[in-house]
Amino acid sequence: MARSNRQRTSRRAVYETLRRKVLTLELPPGAALSENELAAALGVSRTPVRESLILLSQEGLVQIFPQVGSFVSRVDPAKVADAQFLREAVELAALDDLPGLPAELDADLVEELRSNLAEQQRPGLDLEDFFELDEAFHHALLRLSGHGSAWATVVSAKGHLDRARRLGLYDTATPTGFAAQHVEIFEAVLGGDAALARSAMRTHLRAVFDDVERVRARSPELFAKDTGSVPVRRNVVVWE
């Protein structure tokens, strides 16, 4: 039983590590994945790596082609749009469920959000650290409305969206604009202006579509062209 538990823990750790590497672009869109190399780098056997790649393929983050190999999936704008639709629906609905009076807002969560926004303004903030603060900000807003548990559903659906967001963030090289949008949303919430909060949130969340078009114009190889595209073997495996 103990060995079985260790094996499950190992598989979970490998899966979470590989998923994080894909989402943070450490393993970039289109990258070839070698089970042997990944197993050696992680200090595990090939089995948990293979199982993790299968799980990631079920999420659409990895593509496995028989007789060719496994690859990090390229960012699919259609899947970005689907995840964005879900996220926007959840977050706007949550804003509608905030207490009617600002004085009724959870004081501890309000202070948590204030601290988060202050940290977002810190000079020299690492972009990946900002991304984590961004995630925490949106989760805290859901918690403020009493729907914090819905965040897990949003997170599970937005792998392609998160990669698109990171591509946009790293392309601009500064989080200043996004941080300012967070402040606008928060101030609208504190002011009890639900309409302004919704409008600001919608504008903020939909910025990813501009990011996709801007980055795709310069680096089209990072994005999916069509669902039938398959890499081929020459001297090395390449995408057509």
Side-chain angles (χ1 to χ4, degrees), residues 45-67:
S45 69
R46 289 177 56 187
T47 298
V49 171
R50 184 182 307 111
E51 292 172 344
S52 296
L53 293 181
I54 291 172
L55 289 175
L56 291 170
S57 72
Q58 293 171 352
E59 293 183 50
L61 296 175
V62 165
Q63 290 176 286
I64 300 173
F65 299 101
Q67 311 306 317

